[in-house]
Amino acid sequence: MSYDPGALNAALAAAVGEDAVLIADLRVAFLESAERHLDLMSRARCNANWELAAWRLKGLAASFGLTSLMALADEAVEAAPGDPRALQRLRSTIALLQQG
């Protein structure tokens, strides 16, 4: 799965213009929210909680046009709650977003 490191920055710039402080604040808020949804997924013990957290993560990613993260969240919906492979792939993608 490919990853576009500039997609989040481009989406934020398109939404708020060239305000670097606002872009930085929104970036932090996005990443905190993504990490929160991932944490909920890692603690989910039933399908309903797992799926809800994955769908919310997918929706968050969709809001910023992050198709790779959307696809991984969508794949996770089909996995068993706590699936280590799904969680690791999501963690890795979010870590890349934090670096970008």
Side-chain angles (χ1 to χ4, degrees):
M1 180 160 301
S2 67
Y3 166 71
D4 177 7
L8 180 57
N9 291 338
L12 292 172
V16 299
E18 298 299 318
D19 186 338
V21 173
L22 185 53
I23 288 172
D25 287 346
L26 289 174
R27 181 180 186 72
V28 167
F30 168 84
L31 291 168
E32 287 175 352
S33 185
E35 289 174 353
R36 192 170 35 256
H37 294 309
L38 184 59
D39 178 60
L40 289 172
M41 289 179 71
S42 70
R43 293 185 288 123
R45 297 297 172 248
C46 69
N47 285 346
N49 289 340
W50 172 265
E51 291 172 358
L52 183 60
W55 286 330
R56 287 184 175 166
L57 181 57
K58 180 181 177 182
L60 178 67
S63 297
F64 293 91
L66 301 173
T67 57
S68 294
L69 184 57
M70 287 172 54
L72 289 174
D74 202 32
E75 289 174 15
V77 169
E78 301 302 320
D83 180 286
R85 183 172 182 264
L87 290 170
Q88 182 54 44
R89 292 178 76 193
L90 288 165
R91 260 190 213 100
S92 295
T93 300
I94 292 170
L96 287 172
L97 289 168
Q98 289 172 330
Q99 294 172 7

Coordinates of all heavy atoms in Angstrom, one line a residue:
M1 N 0.8 -1.2 0.0 CA 0.0 0.0 0.0 C 0.9 1.2 0.0 O 1.8 1.3 0.8 CB -0.9 0.0 1.2 CG -1.8 1.1 1.3 SD -3.2 0.8 2.4 CE -3.9 -0.6 1.7
S2 N 0.6 2.2 -0.9 CA 1.5 3.3 -1.0 C 1.0 4.4 0.1 O -0.1 4.4 0.5 CB 1.4 3.9 -2.4 OG 0.1 4.4 -2.6
Y3 N 1.9 5.3 0.4 CA 1.6 6.3 1.3 C 2.1 7.6 0.8 O 3.3 7.7 0.3 CB 2.4 6.0 2.7 CG 2.4 7.2 3.6 CD1 1.2 7.6 4.2 CD2 3.6 7.9 3.8 CE1 1.3 8.8 5.0 CE2 3.6 9.0 4.6 CZ 2.5 9.4 5.2 OH 2.5 10.5 6.0
D4 N 1.3 8.6 0.8 CA 1.6 9.9 0.3 C 1.9 10.8 1.5 O 1.0 11.2 2.2 CB 0.5 10.5 -0.5 CG 0.8 11.9 -1.0 OD1 1.9 12.4 -0.8 OD2 -0.1 12.6 -1.6
P5 N 3.2 11.1 1.8 CA 3.5 11.8 3.0 C 3.0 13.3 3.0 O 2.9 13.9 4.1 CB 5.0 11.8 3.1 CG 5.5 11.5 1.7 CD 4.4 10.7 1.1
G6 N 2.7 13.8 1.9 CA 2.2 15.2 1.9 C 0.7 15.3 1.9 O 0.2 16.4 1.9
A7 N 0.0 14.2 1.9 CA -1.5 14.3 1.7 C -2.1 15.0 2.9 O -3.0 15.8 2.7 CB -2.1 12.9 1.6
L8 N -1.7 14.7 4.1 CA -2.2 15.4 5.3 C -1.9 16.9 5.2 O -2.8 17.7 5.4 CB -1.7 14.8 6.6 CG -2.3 15.4 7.9 CD1 -3.8 15.4 7.9 CD2 -1.7 14.7 9.1
N9 N -0.7 17.2 5.0 CA -0.3 18.7 4.9 C -1.1 19.4 3.8 O -1.6 20.5 4.0 CB 1.2 18.8 4.7 CG 2.0 18.4 5.9 OD1 1.5 18.4 7.0 ND2 3.2 18.1 5.6
A10 N -1.3 18.7 2.7 CA -2.0 19.3 1.5 C -3.5 19.5 1.9 O -4.1 20.6 1.6 CB -1.9 18.5 0.3
A11 N -4.1 18.5 2.6 CA -5.5 18.6 3.0 C -5.7 19.8 4.0 O -6.6 20.6 3.9 CB -6.0 17.3 3.6
L12 N -4.8 19.9 4.9 CA -4.8 20.9 5.9 C -4.6 22.3 5.3 O -5.4 23.3 5.6 CB -3.8 20.7 7.0 CG -4.1 19.5 7.9 CD1 -2.9 19.3 8.9 CD2 -5.4 19.7 8.7
A13 N -3.7 22.4 4.4 CA -3.5 23.7 3.7 C -4.7 24.1 2.8 O -5.0 25.3 2.8 CB -2.2 23.6 2.8
A14 N -5.3 23.1 2.2 CA -6.5 23.4 1.4 C -7.6 23.9 2.3 O -8.4 24.7 1.8 CB -6.9 22.2 0.6
A15 N -7.7 23.4 3.5 CA -8.8 23.7 4.4 C -8.6 25.1 5.0 O -9.6 25.8 5.2 CB -9.0 22.7 5.4
V16 N -7.4 25.4 5.4 CA -7.2 26.7 6.1 C -6.2 27.7 5.5 O -5.9 28.7 6.1 CB -6.7 26.3 7.6 CG1 -7.7 25.5 8.3 CG2 -5.3 25.7 7.6
G17 N -5.7 27.4 4.3 CA -4.8 28.3 3.7 C -3.4 28.1 4.2 O -3.0 27.0 4.5
E18 N -2.7 29.2 4.2 CA -1.3 29.2 4.6 C -1.0 29.5 6.0 O 0.2 29.8 6.4 CB -0.5 30.1 3.7 CG -0.6 29.8 2.2 CD 0.0 28.4 1.9 OE1 1.1 28.1 2.4 OE2 -0.6 27.7 1.1
D19 N -2.0 29.4 6.9 CA -1.8 29.7 8.3 C -1.0 28.6 9.0 O -1.6 27.6 9.4 CB -3.1 29.9 9.0 CG -3.0 30.4 10.4 OD1 -1.9 30.2 11.0 OD2 -4.0 31.0 10.9
A20 N 0.3 28.7 9.1 CA 1.1 27.6 9.6 C 0.8 27.2 11.0 O 0.8 26.0 11.3 CB 2.6 28.0 9.5
V21 N 0.4 28.1 11.8 CA 0.1 27.8 13.2 C -1.2 27.0 13.3 O -1.3 26.0 14.0 CB 0.0 29.1 14.1 CG1 -0.6 28.8 15.5 CG2 1.3 29.8 14.1
L22 N -2.2 27.4 12.5 CA -3.4 26.6 12.5 C -3.2 25.3 11.9 O -3.8 24.3 12.4 CB -4.5 27.4 11.7 CG -5.9 26.8 11.7 CD1 -6.4 26.6 13.1 CD2 -6.9 27.8 10.9
I23 N -2.4 25.2 10.8 CA -2.1 23.9 10.2 C -1.5 23.0 11.3 O -1.8 21.8 11.4 CB -1.2 24.0 9.0 CG1 -2.1 24.6 7.8 CG2 -0.6 22.7 8.6 CD1 -1.2 25.0 6.6
A24 N -0.5 23.5 12.0 CA 0.2 22.7 13.0 C -0.8 22.2 14.1 O -0.8 21.1 14.6 CB 1.3 23.5 13.7
D25 N -1.7 23.1 14.5 CA -2.7 22.8 15.6 C -3.7 21.7 15.1 O -4.0 20.7 15.8 CB -3.5 24.0 16.0 CG -2.7 25.0 16.9 OD1 -1.6 24.6 17.3 OD2 -3.2 26.1 17.0
L26 N -4.1 21.8 13.8 CA -5.0 20.8 13.3 C -4.3 19.5 13.1 O -4.9 18.4 13.2 CB -5.6 21.3 11.9 CG -6.6 22.5 12.1 CD1 -7.0 23.0 10.7 CD2 -7.9 22.0 12.8
R27 N -3.1 19.5 12.7 CA -2.3 18.3 12.5 C -2.2 17.5 13.8 O -2.4 16.3 13.9 CB -0.9 18.7 12.0 CG 0.0 17.5 11.7 CD 1.4 18.0 11.2 NE 2.2 16.9 10.9 CZ 2.0 16.1 9.8 NH1 1.0 16.3 9.0 NH2 2.7 15.1 9.6
V28 N -1.9 18.3 14.9 CA -1.8 17.7 16.2 C -3.2 17.1 16.6 O -3.3 15.9 17.1 CB -1.3 18.7 17.3 CG1 -1.5 18.2 18.7 CG2 0.1 19.0 17.1
A29 N -4.3 17.8 16.4 CA -5.6 17.3 16.7 C -5.9 16.1 15.9 O -6.5 15.1 16.5 CB -6.6 18.4 16.5
F30 N -5.6 16.1 14.6 CA -5.8 14.9 13.8 C -5.1 13.7 14.3 O -5.7 12.6 14.5 CB -5.4 15.1 12.3 CG -5.4 13.9 11.5 CD1 -6.5 13.4 11.0 CD2 -4.2 13.2 11.4 CE1 -6.5 12.2 10.2 CE2 -4.2 12.0 10.6 CZ -5.4 11.5 10.1
L31 N -3.8 13.8 14.6 CA -3.0 12.7 15.1 C -3.4 12.2 16.4 O -3.5 11.0 16.7 CB -1.5 13.1 15.1 CG -0.9 13.3 13.7 CD1 0.5 14.0 13.8 CD2 -0.8 12.0 12.9
E32 N -3.8 13.1 17.3 CA -4.3 12.7 18.6 C -5.6 11.9 18.5 O -5.8 10.9 19.1 CB -4.6 13.9 19.5 CG -3.3 14.5 20.1 CD -3.5 15.8 20.9 OE1 -4.7 16.3 20.9 OE2 -2.6 16.3 21.5
S33 N -6.5 12.3 17.6 CA -7.7 11.6 17.3 C -7.5 10.2 16.7 O -8.1 9.2 17.1 CB -8.6 12.4 16.4 OG -9.9 11.8 16.3
A34 N -6.6 10.2 15.8 CA -6.2 8.9 15.1 C -5.6 7.9 16.2 O -6.0 6.7 16.2 CB -5.2 9.1 14.0
E35 N -4.8 8.4 17.0 CA -4.2 7.6 18.1 C -5.3 7.1 19.1 O -5.2 6.0 19.6 CB -3.1 8.3 18.8 CG -1.8 8.5 18.0 CD -0.8 9.4 18.6 OE1 -1.1 10.0 19.7 OE2 0.3 9.5 18.1
R36 N -6.2 8.0 19.4 CA -7.3 7.6 20.3 C -8.2 6.5 19.7 O -8.5 5.5 20.4 CB -8.2 8.9 20.6 CG -9.1 8.7 21.7 CD -9.8 10.0 22.2 NE -10.0 11.0 21.1 CZ -9.3 12.1 20.9 NH1 -8.3 12.4 21.6 NH2 -9.7 12.9 19.9
H37 N -8.5 6.6 18.4 CA -9.3 5.5 17.8 C -8.5 4.2 17.7 O -9.0 3.2 17.9 CB -9.7 6.0 16.4 CG -10.6 7.1 16.3 ND1 -11.8 7.1 17.1 CD2 -10.6 8.3 15.7 CE1 -12.4 8.3 16.9 NE2 -11.7 9.0 16.0
L38 N -7.2 4.3 17.5 CA -6.3 3.1 17.5 C -6.3 2.5 18.8 O -6.3 1.3 19.0 CB -5.0 3.5 16.9 CG -4.0 2.3 16.8 CD1 -4.5 1.3 15.8 CD2 -2.6 2.8 16.3
D39 N -6.2 3.3 19.9 CA -6.2 2.8 21.2 C -7.5 2.1 21.6 O -7.5 1.0 22.2 CB -6.0 4.0 22.2 CG -6.0 3.5 23.7 OD1 -5.2 2.6 24.0 OD2 -6.9 4.0 24.4
L40 N -8.6 2.7 21.1 CA -9.9 2.0 21.3 C -10.0 0.7 20.6 O -10.5 -0.3 21.2 CB -11.1 2.9 20.9 CG -11.3 4.2 21.7 CD1 -12.3 5.1 21.0 CD2 -11.8 3.8 23.1
M41 N -9.4 0.6 19.4 CA -9.3 -0.6 18.7 C -8.5 -1.6 19.5 O -8.9 -2.8 19.6 CB -8.8 -0.4 17.3 CG -9.7 0.3 16.4 SD -9.0 0.5 14.7 CE -9.1 -1.2 14.1
S42 N -7.4 -1.2 20.0 CA -6.5 -2.2 20.7 C -7.1 -2.7 22.0 O -6.8 -3.8 22.4 CB -5.1 -1.5 21.0 OG -5.3 -0.5 22.0
R43 N -8.0 -1.9 22.6 CA -8.7 -2.4 23.8 C -10.0 -3.1 23.5 O -10.6 -3.6 24.5 CB -8.9 -1.2 24.7 CG -7.6 -0.7 25.2 CD -7.7 0.4 26.3 NE -8.2 1.7 25.7 CZ -9.3 2.3 26.1 NH1 -10.1 1.8 27.1 NH2 -9.7 3.4 25.5
A44 N -10.5 -3.1 22.3 CA -11.8 -3.7 22.0 C -11.8 -5.2 22.2 O -10.8 -5.9 21.8 CB -12.2 -3.4 20.5
R45 N -12.8 -5.7 22.8 CA -12.9 -7.1 23.0 C -14.1 -7.7 22.3 O -14.3 -8.9 22.3 CB -13.0 -7.4 24.5 CG -11.8 -7.0 25.3 CD -10.6 -7.8 24.8 NE -9.4 -7.2 25.4 CZ -8.4 -6.6 24.8 NH1 -8.5 -6.4 23.5 NH2 -7.3 -6.2 25.4
C46 N -14.9 -6.9 21.7 CA -16.1 -7.4 20.9 C -16.1 -6.8 19.5 O -15.5 -5.7 19.3 CB -17.4 -7.1 21.6 SG -17.9 -5.4 21.7
N47 N -16.8 -7.4 18.6 CA -16.9 -6.9 17.2 C -17.4 -5.5 17.2 O -16.9 -4.7 16.4 CB -17.7 -7.9 16.4 CG -17.0 -9.1 16.0 OD1 -15.8 -9.3 16.2 ND2 -17.7 -10.1 15.6
A48 N -18.4 -5.2 17.9 CA -19.1 -3.9 17.8 C -18.1 -2.8 18.2 O -18.1 -1.8 17.5 CB -20.3 -3.9 18.8
N49 N -17.4 -2.9 19.3 CA -16.5 -1.9 19.7 C -15.3 -1.7 18.7 O -14.9 -0.7 18.3 CB -15.9 -2.1 21.1 CG -17.0 -1.9 22.1 OD1 -18.0 -1.2 21.9 ND2 -16.7 -2.5 23.3
W50 N -14.8 -2.9 18.2 CA -13.7 -2.9 17.2 C -14.2 -2.2 15.9 O -13.5 -1.3 15.4 CB -13.3 -4.4 17.0 CG -12.4 -4.6 15.8 CD1 -12.7 -4.9 14.6 CD2 -11.0 -4.5 15.9 NE1 -11.6 -5.1 13.8 CE2 -10.5 -4.8 14.6 CE3 -10.0 -4.2 16.9 CZ2 -9.1 -4.9 14.3 CZ3 -8.7 -4.3 16.5 CH2 -8.3 -4.6 15.3
E51 N -15.3 -2.6 15.4 CA -15.8 -2.0 14.2 C -16.1 -0.5 14.3 O -15.8 0.2 13.4 CB -17.1 -2.8 13.7 CG -16.8 -4.2 13.3 CD -18.0 -5.0 13.0 OE1 -19.2 -4.5 13.2 OE2 -17.9 -6.2 12.6
L52 N -16.7 -0.1 15.4 CA -17.0 1.3 15.6 C -15.8 2.1 15.6 O -15.7 3.2 14.9 CB -17.8 1.5 16.9 CG -18.2 2.9 17.2 CD1 -19.2 3.4 16.1 CD2 -18.9 3.0 18.6
A53 N -14.7 1.7 16.3 CA -13.5 2.4 16.4 C -12.8 2.5 15.0 O -12.3 3.5 14.6 CB -12.5 1.8 17.4
A54 N -12.9 1.3 14.2 CA -12.3 1.3 12.9 C -13.0 2.2 11.9 O -12.4 2.9 11.1 CB -12.3 -0.1 12.4
W55 N -14.4 2.2 12.0 CA -15.2 3.1 11.2 C -14.9 4.6 11.5 O -14.8 5.4 10.6 CB -16.6 2.8 11.3 CG -17.1 1.5 10.7 CD1 -16.5 0.9 9.6 CD2 -18.1 0.7 11.1 NE1 -17.2 -0.3 9.3 CE2 -18.2 -0.4 10.2 CE3 -19.0 0.7 12.1 CZ2 -19.1 -1.4 10.3 CZ3 -20.0 -0.3 12.3 CH2 -20.0 -1.4 11.4
R56 N -14.7 4.9 12.8 CA -14.4 6.3 13.1 C -13.1 6.7 12.6 O -12.9 7.8 12.1 CB -14.5 6.5 14.6 CG -16.0 6.5 15.1 CD -16.1 6.7 16.5 NE -17.5 6.8 16.9 CZ -17.9 6.8 18.1 NH1 -17.1 6.7 19.2 NH2 -19.2 6.9 18.4
L57 N -12.1 5.8 12.7 CA -10.8 6.1 12.2 C -10.8 6.2 10.7 O -10.2 7.1 10.1 CB -9.8 4.9 12.5 CG -8.4 5.1 12.0 CD1 -7.7 6.4 12.5 CD2 -7.5 3.9 12.5
K58 N -11.6 5.4 10.0 CA -11.8 5.5 8.5 C -12.4 6.9 8.2 O -12.0 7.5 7.3 CB -12.7 4.4 8.0 CG -12.9 4.4 6.5 CD -13.7 3.3 6.0 CE -14.0 3.4 4.5 NZ -14.9 2.3 4.1
G59 N -13.4 7.3 8.9 CA -14.1 8.6 8.7 C -13.1 9.7 8.9 O -13.1 10.7 8.1
L60 N -12.3 9.6 9.9 CA -11.3 10.7 10.2 C -10.4 10.8 9.0 O -10.1 11.9 8.5 CB -10.6 10.4 11.5 CG -9.4 11.3 11.9 CD1 -10.0 12.7 12.2 CD2 -8.7 10.8 13.0
A61 N -9.9 9.6 8.6 CA -8.9 9.6 7.4 C -9.6 10.1 6.2 O -9.0 10.9 5.4 CB -8.5 8.2 7.2
A62 N -10.9 9.8 6.0 CA -11.6 10.3 4.8 C -11.7 11.8 4.8 O -11.7 12.5 3.8 CB -13.0 9.6 4.7
S63 N -11.9 12.4 6.0 CA -12.0 13.8 6.1 C -10.8 14.6 5.6 O -10.9 15.7 5.2 CB -12.2 14.2 7.6 OG -13.4 13.7 8.1
F64 N -9.7 13.9 5.5 CA -8.4 14.5 5.1 C -7.9 13.8 3.8 O -6.8 14.1 3.4 CB -7.4 14.4 6.2 CG -7.7 15.3 7.4 CD1 -8.5 14.8 8.4 CD2 -7.4 16.6 7.4 CE1 -8.8 15.6 9.5 CE2 -7.8 17.4 8.5 CZ -8.5 16.9 9.5
G65 N -8.7 13.0 3.2 CA -8.3 12.4 2.0 C -7.1 11.4 2.1 O -6.4 11.2 1.1
L66 N -6.9 10.8 3.2 CA -5.8 9.8 3.5 C -6.3 8.4 3.1 O -6.7 7.6 3.9 CB -5.4 9.9 4.9 CG -4.9 11.3 5.4 CD1 -4.6 11.3 6.8 CD2 -3.7 11.7 4.6
T67 N -6.2 8.2 1.8 CA -6.8 6.9 1.3 C -6.1 5.7 1.8 O -6.8 4.6 2.0 CB -6.8 6.9 -0.3 OG1 -5.5 7.1 -0.7 CG2 -7.7 8.0 -0.8
S68 N -4.8 5.7 2.0 CA -4.1 4.5 2.6 C -4.6 4.2 4.0 O -4.9 3.0 4.3 CB -2.6 4.8 2.6 OG -2.1 4.9 1.3
L69 N -4.8 5.2 4.8 CA -5.3 5.0 6.2 C -6.7 4.5 6.1 O -7.2 3.6 6.9 CB -5.1 6.2 7.0 CG -5.5 6.1 8.5 CD1 -4.7 5.0 9.2 CD2 -5.3 7.5 9.2
M70 N -7.5 5.1 5.2 CA -8.9 4.7 5.0 C -9.0 3.2 4.7 O -9.8 2.4 5.2 CB -9.6 5.5 3.9 CG -9.9 6.9 4.2 SD -10.5 7.8 2.8 CE -11.8 6.8 2.2
A71 N -8.2 2.8 3.7 CA -8.2 1.4 3.3 C -7.8 0.4 4.4 O -8.4 -0.6 4.6 CB -7.2 1.2 2.1
L72 N -6.8 0.8 5.2 CA -6.3 0.0 6.3 C -7.4 -0.1 7.4 O -7.7 -1.2 7.9 CB -5.1 0.5 6.9 CG -3.8 0.3 6.1 CD1 -2.6 1.0 6.8 CD2 -3.5 -1.1 5.8
A73 N -8.1 1.0 7.7 CA -9.2 0.9 8.6 C -10.3 0.1 8.1 O -10.9 -0.7 8.9 CB -9.7 2.4 8.9
D74 N -10.6 0.2 6.8 CA -11.7 -0.6 6.2 C -11.3 -2.1 6.3 O -12.2 -2.9 6.6 CB -11.9 -0.2 4.8 CG -13.2 -0.6 4.2 OD1 -14.2 -0.6 5.0 OD2 -13.3 -0.8 3.0
E75 N -10.1 -2.5 6.0 CA -9.6 -3.8 6.1 C -9.7 -4.3 7.6 O -10.1 -5.5 7.8 CB -8.2 -4.0 5.7 CG -8.0 -3.8 4.2 CD -6.5 -3.8 3.8 OE1 -5.6 -4.2 4.6 OE2 -6.2 -3.4 2.7
A76 N -9.4 -3.5 8.5 CA -9.5 -3.8 10.0 C -10.9 -4.2 10.4 O -11.1 -5.1 11.2 CB -8.9 -2.7 10.8
V77 N -11.9 -3.5 9.8 CA -13.3 -3.9 10.1 C -13.6 -5.3 9.9 O -14.3 -5.9 10.7 CB -14.3 -3.0 9.3 CG1 -15.7 -3.5 9.4 CG2 -14.2 -1.5 9.7
E78 N -13.0 -5.9 8.9 CA -13.2 -7.3 8.6 C -12.4 -8.3 9.5 O -12.6 -9.5 9.5 CB -12.9 -7.6 7.1 CG -13.7 -6.8 6.2 CD -15.2 -7.0 6.4 OE1 -15.6 -8.1 6.6 OE2 -16.0 -6.0 6.3
A79 N -11.4 -7.7 10.2 CA -10.5 -8.6 11.0 C -11.2 -8.8 12.4 O -12.1 -8.1 12.8 CB -9.2 -7.9 11.2
A80 N -10.6 -9.8 13.1 CA -11.1 -10.0 14.5 C -10.7 -8.9 15.4 O -9.6 -8.3 15.2 CB -10.6 -11.4 15.0
P81 N -11.5 -8.6 16.5 CA -11.1 -7.6 17.4 C -9.7 -7.9 18.0 O -9.4 -9.1 18.3 CB -12.1 -7.7 18.5 CG -13.3 -8.3 17.8 CD -12.8 -9.2 16.8
G82 N -8.8 -6.9 18.0 CA -7.5 -7.0 18.5 C -6.5 -7.7 17.6 O -5.4 -8.0 18.0
D83 N -6.9 -7.8 16.3 CA -6.0 -8.5 15.3 C -4.6 -7.7 15.3 O -4.6 -6.6 15.0 CB -6.6 -8.4 14.0 CG -5.8 -9.1 12.9 OD1 -4.8 -8.5 12.5 OD2 -6.1 -10.2 12.5
P84 N -3.5 -8.4 15.7 CA -2.3 -7.8 15.8 C -1.7 -7.2 14.5 O -1.1 -6.2 14.4 CB -1.3 -8.8 16.4 CG -2.0 -10.1 16.2 CD -3.5 -9.8 16.1
R85 N -2.0 -7.9 13.4 CA -1.5 -7.5 12.1 C -2.2 -6.2 11.7 O -1.6 -5.2 11.2 CB -1.8 -8.6 11.0 CG -1.2 -8.2 9.7 CD -1.3 -9.4 8.7 NE -0.7 -9.0 7.4 CZ -1.4 -8.6 6.4 NH1 -2.7 -8.5 6.4 NH2 -0.8 -8.3 5.2
A86 N -3.5 -6.1 11.8 CA -4.3 -4.9 11.5 C -3.8 -3.7 12.3 O -3.6 -2.6 11.8 CB -5.8 -5.2 11.7
L87 N -3.7 -4.0 13.7 CA -3.2 -2.9 14.5 C -1.8 -2.4 14.2 O -1.6 -1.2 14.2 CB -3.3 -3.4 16.0 CG -4.7 -3.6 16.6 CD1 -4.6 -4.3 17.9 CD2 -5.4 -2.3 16.7
Q88 N -0.9 -3.3 13.9 CA 0.4 -2.9 13.5 C 0.5 -2.1 12.2 O 1.2 -1.1 12.1 CB 1.3 -4.2 13.4 CG 2.8 -3.8 13.1 CD 3.4 -2.8 14.0 OE1 3.2 -2.9 15.2 NE2 4.1 -1.8 13.5
R89 N -0.3 -2.5 11.2 CA -0.3 -1.8 10.0 C -0.9 -0.4 10.2 O -0.4 0.6 9.7 CB -1.2 -2.5 8.9 CG -0.5 -3.8 8.5 CD -1.3 -4.6 7.5 NE -1.2 -3.9 6.2 CZ -2.0 -4.2 5.2 NH1 -2.9 -5.1 5.3 NH2 -1.8 -3.5 4.1
L90 N -1.9 -0.2 11.0 CA -2.5 1.1 11.3 C -1.5 1.9 12.1 O -1.3 3.1 11.8 CB -3.8 0.9 12.1 CG -5.0 0.4 11.3 CD1 -6.1 0.0 12.2 CD2 -5.5 1.5 10.3
R91 N -0.8 1.3 13.1 CA 0.2 2.0 13.9 C 1.3 2.5 13.0 O 1.8 3.7 13.2 CB 0.8 1.1 15.0 CG 0.2 1.2 16.3 CD 1.0 0.4 17.4 NE 0.0 0.0 18.4 CZ -0.5 -1.2 18.4 NH1 -0.2 -2.1 17.6 NH2 -1.5 -1.4 19.3
S92 N 1.8 1.7 12.1 CA 2.9 2.1 11.2 C 2.5 3.3 10.4 O 3.2 4.2 10.2 CB 3.3 0.9 10.3 OG 3.8 -0.1 11.1
T93 N 1.3 3.3 9.8 CA 0.8 4.3 9.0 C 0.6 5.6 9.8 O 1.0 6.7 9.3 CB -0.5 4.0 8.3 OG1 -0.3 2.8 7.5 CG2 -1.1 5.1 7.4
I94 N 0.1 5.5 11.0 CA -0.1 6.7 11.8 C 1.3 7.3 12.2 O 1.5 8.5 12.2 CB -1.0 6.4 13.0 CG1 -2.4 6.2 12.5 CG2 -0.9 7.6 14.0 CD1 -3.3 5.7 13.6
A95 N 2.3 6.4 12.5 CA 3.6 6.8 12.8 C 4.3 7.6 11.6 O 4.9 8.6 11.8 CB 4.5 5.6 13.2
L96 N 4.0 7.1 10.4 CA 4.5 7.8 9.2 C 3.9 9.2 9.1 O 4.6 10.2 8.7 CB 4.2 7.0 7.9 CG 5.1 5.8 7.8 CD1 4.6 4.9 6.6 CD2 6.6 6.1 7.5
L97 N 2.6 9.3 9.4 CA 1.9 10.6 9.4 C 2.6 11.6 10.4 O 2.7 12.8 10.2 CB 0.4 10.4 9.6 CG -0.3 9.8 8.5 CD1 -1.7 9.4 9.0 CD2 -0.4 10.7 7.3
Q98 N 2.9 11.0 11.6 CA 3.5 11.9 12.6 C 4.9 12.4 12.1 O 5.3 13.5 12.5 CB 3.7 11.1 13.9 CG 2.4 10.8 14.6 CD 2.5 9.8 15.7 OE1 3.4 9.0 15.7 NE2 1.6 10.0 16.7
Q99 N 5.6 11.6 11.3 CA 6.9 12.0 10.9 C 6.8 13.1 9.8 O 7.7 13.9 9.6 CB 7.7 10.9 10.3 CG 8.1 9.9 11.4 CD 8.7 8.6 10.8 OE1 8.9 8.5 9.6 NE2 8.9 7.6 11.7
G100 N 5.7 13.0 9.0 CA 5.6 13.8 7.8 C 5.2 15.2 8.1 O 5.3 16.2 7.6

